[in-house]
Amino acid sequence: MADARVVTRFAPSPTGFLHIGGARTALFNWLFARHHGGQFLLRIEDTDRKRSTDEAIDAIFEGMDWLGLQADQKPVRQFAQADRHAEVARQLLENGGAYHCYASPEELAEMRAAQKAAGKPMRYDGRWRDRNPSEAPEGVDPVVRLRAPQSGATVVHDQVQGNVTFQNEQLDDMILLRADGTPTYMLSVVVDDHDMGVTHVIRGDDHLVNAARQTLLFQAMGWDVPTFAHIPLIHGPDGAKLSKRHGALGVEAYRDMGYLPDAMRNYLVRLGWSHGDDEIFSTEQAIKWFDLAGIGRSASRFDFDKLANLNGLYIRNADVQSLIGPVTDILQQSEGVILDSAGTQRLEILMPGLQERAKTLVELADASKFLFASRPLTPNAKAEKLLKGDGRSIVADLADALDGIQDWAADKLENEVKAFAESRELKLGKVAQPLRAALTGSNVSPGIYDVLIALGREESVARMRDVKLTA
């Protein structure tokens, strides 16, 4: 049953590209909201002004658009809400839920050093928690700290990790406002989640401790605590946390490598979530099936080969017309090839054969380049080997035979090639293989009769006659 009260959010920091882990988090939030008929929101957490860049924000928007994960409202920029965040801190000061701390940076450094030397966890010791501000030293601008409970425990009721208990004595009085009056990330996140009506926070399990601290802040304000679901991180094939050395790239890089967004969504949703033994399913099925109970507690491993194989399956099952545009774009960007109507028609004719071999759109474009190559073609080494000996003369003689065919159709071409082979007492392969080399410059291609149809009579015959001239 649809629950319109479900509100999820994806809240990336714009300090770099939209990486795979972030994309999966966004997808899980999007699917959960769609499954429940709720809302999916996007918040750019740009409070780190030194590291946040407009380029990174643009990359996040582009990556989300490519994956098809559109937010249901205009994206929110966290820094723009800074006044509201500070207002909440002042409310807590007024009701005793927060206090001014005048400890200097030097004091805090000495405190941590002493704790470290004693083998204790490094945490704020609450030295200004109950002191009178009249004792404040001159020249020290105070920070504002949360007056967190010092005893008991805080339990995070997590939909993936289960109930996780944190002793409050280990959760110190975190800073809400810095000495310059700017709000901290922890304060901003809680206020934004409350103001945006977020009901479910689905994010990486590296935020689990944050959930406990944020729970205290929600409770201090008397606000409802959202439902948490902390998902395990993605690891590389070797079991270590996915990093650049594994080839961890931004989502836009996978787009540029020729992966389809549908395949990428299918692959990402299976990284840490399952629905029985189902591996391949549509986005509509994922929306119907997705739930938090299906998320596992173990880290998932990113398998580049598995992604490529899945993408190849999606390419093979794709509608021809849906591939023409992307392949045309790649050809233009990589080769400077601008297709006219005749070139597009060639690609459309041969696309079904090209789809069978390609795992990415880039491979698809590479395999189609021969269709638009300038004459005379330069055969690759294996194609050249097929033309050695009498291969060139066979192709040249066959050109004369094919040039006489009035009805340039696959069945007519096949009959003529077979008849030619029989007349020379040659096996069909002895004719078809050098013919492929002459037409494509390669030893592999879609069906040779499809290639002839795609190239047309004039271009096919001209390429066949070229091989004798370039011997």
Side-chain angles (χ1 to χ4, degrees):
M1 180 180 293
D3 182 357
R5 289 195 64 257
V6 167
V7 179
T8 66
R9 50 76 161 175
F10 176 52
S13 297
T15 55
F17 51 65
L18 175 61
H19 57 80
I20 285 298
R24 183 191 62 168
T25 297
L27 176 60
F28 279 15
N29 278 279
W30 184 84
L31 286 172
F32 188 76
R34 292 290 175 272
H35 176 80
H36 288 282
Q39 286 196 316
F40 168 68
L41 308 179
L42 176 60
R43 182 171 74 231
I44 303 298
E45 298 195 331
D46 56 349
T47 51
D48 187 342
R49 306 306 293 167
K50 292 181 179 178
R51 298 178 62 213
S52 297
T53 67
D54 290 337
E55 291 79 9
I57 293 173
D58 290 341
I60 290 169
F61 289 153
E62 286 180 19
M64 295 286 286
D65 286 344
W66 178 70
L67 283 170
L69 306 180
Q70 280 75 33
D72 294 310
Q73 294 183 19
K74 183 180 178 180
V76 171
R77 299 281 286 268
Q78 190 169 70
F79 183 72
Q81 317 302 319
D83 289 346
R84 163 63 177 158
H85 305 153
E87 174 193 331
V88 170
R90 289 191 290 270
Q91 289 177 23
L92 286 168
L93 279 172
E94 291 172 5
N95 65 26
Y99 62 93
H100 283 117
C101 170
Y102 292 88
S104 67
E106 292 76 20
E107 278 186 89
L108 295 173
E110 290 174 6
M111 177 189 71
R112 294 191 185 100
Q115 291 171 336
K116 184 177 181 180
K120 296 179 179 179
M122 287 181 283
R123 52 189 293 275
Y124 176 67
D125 61 8
R127 62 184 60 190
W128 278 95
R129 183 181 175 99
D130 298 311
R131 287 175 68 177
N132 193 313
S134 64
E135 300 177 32
E138 292 184 10
V140 176
D141 293 324
V143 300
V144 175
R145 290 183 180 272
L146 176 70
R147 192 184 299 276
Q150 295 179 301
S151 61
T154 296
V155 180
V156 176
H157 302 286
D158 195 272
Q159 298 298 299
V160 175
Q161 306 296 332
N163 291 339
V164 184
T165 301
F166 295 86
Q167 298 303 315
N168 287 334
E169 63 183 17
Q170 300 299 319
L171 302 174
D172 60 0
D173 295 347
M174 64 181 176
I175 296 175
L176 304 179
L177 289 183
R178 302 181 184 90
D180 63 1
T182 58
T184 61
Y185 164 81
M186 296 292 278
L187 171 63
S188 299
V189 167
V190 169
V191 177
D192 284 346
D193 281 345
H194 170 74
D195 288 356
M196 295 170 71
V198 173
T199 61
H200 292 74
V201 174
I202 305 170
R203 59 189 177 185
D205 61 10
D206 52 335
H207 285 280
L208 192 54
V209 175
N210 285 348
R213 296 180 182 278
Q214 290 163 4
T215 293
L216 294 178
L217 186 47
F218 276 110
Q219 292 172 341
M221 286 300 297
W223 294 339
D224 290 339
V225 179
T227 299
F228 290 110
H230 288 87
I231 57 182
L233 301 180
I234 300 173
H235 287 179
D238 59 358
K241 183 179 176 182
L242 191 66
S243 64
K244 289 182 180 178
R245 69 184 178 85
H246 295 110
L249 305 167
V251 167
E252 73 279 2
Y254 290 91
R255 176 198 63 199
D256 295 343
M257 287 189 290
Y259 291 94
L260 298 174
D262 287 357
M264 203 71 194
R265 286 196 302 271
N266 190 159
Y267 183 74
L268 287 177
V269 75
R270 285 290 289 112
L271 281 179
W273 176 84
S274 62
H275 182 268
D277 295 326
D278 294 296
E279 291 283 348
I280 300 165
F281 40 80
S282 67
T283 299
E284 290 71 24
Q285 288 172 312
I287 291 172
K288 181 180 179 180
W289 295 337
F290 189 83
D291 59 7
L292 299 179
I295 301 174
R297 294 188 185 183
S298 301
S300 50
R301 296 195 181 193
F302 196 93
D303 187 326
F304 294 92
D305 290 337
K306 191 171 184 180
L307 171 59
N309 289 332
L310 180 64
N311 199 63
L313 179 66
Y314 269 80
I315 285 177
R316 288 194 293 277
N317 291 331
D319 176 72
V320 166
Q321 290 302 320
S322 71
L323 299 174
I324 297 297
V327 170
T328 299
D329 290 342
I330 293 171
L331 287 169
Q332 182 173 347
Q333 293 167 11
S334 64
E335 303 295 321
V337 174
I338 300 177
L339 300 190
D340 55 14
S341 59
T344 300
Q345 187 176 26
R346 285 184 184 180
L347 192 56
E348 289 174 342
I349 291 171
L350 212 55
M351 186 61 80
L354 295 170
Q355 286 172 257
E356 292 302 312
R357 297 174 179 270
K359 291 185 177 180
T360 68
L361 292 173
V362 172
E363 289 183 6
L364 203 55
D366 285 343
S368 70
K369 285 192 296 189
F370 77 88
L371 287 171
F372 320 105
S374 299
R375 294 179 37 230
L377 273 58
T378 302
N380 65 26
K382 291 184 177 179
E384 184 62 47
K385 189 174 181 180
L386 294 172
L387 293 169
K388 290 283 187 185
D390 55 359
R392 279 184 161 80
S393 61
I394 289 174
V395 171
D397 291 347
L398 179 60
D400 294 335
L402 296 186
D403 198 18
I405 296 178
Q406 296 303 311
D407 184 7
W408 195 259
D411 57 340
K412 299 292 192 302
L413 292 167
E414 183 176 2
N415 290 337
E416 187 62 38
V417 172
K418 287 181 177 179
F420 177 87
E422 290 174 4
S423 70
R424 298 295 180 94
E425 297 183 347
L426 295 170
K427 290 184 177 179
L428 185 60
K430 287 292 185 179
V431 176
Q433 290 299 342
L435 174 59
R436 172 174 282 109
L439 293 174
T440 69
S442 175
N443 59 308
V444 292
S445 76
I448 197 63
Y449 305 111
D450 293 331
V451 171
L452 285 164
I453 293 295
L455 289 172
R457 178 207 309 276
E458 183 178 344
E459 181 69 16
S460 295
V461 171
R463 291 188 182 194
M464 292 168 68
R465 287 178 172 151
D466 280 344
V467 297
K468 199 159 188 180
L469 298 174
T470 57

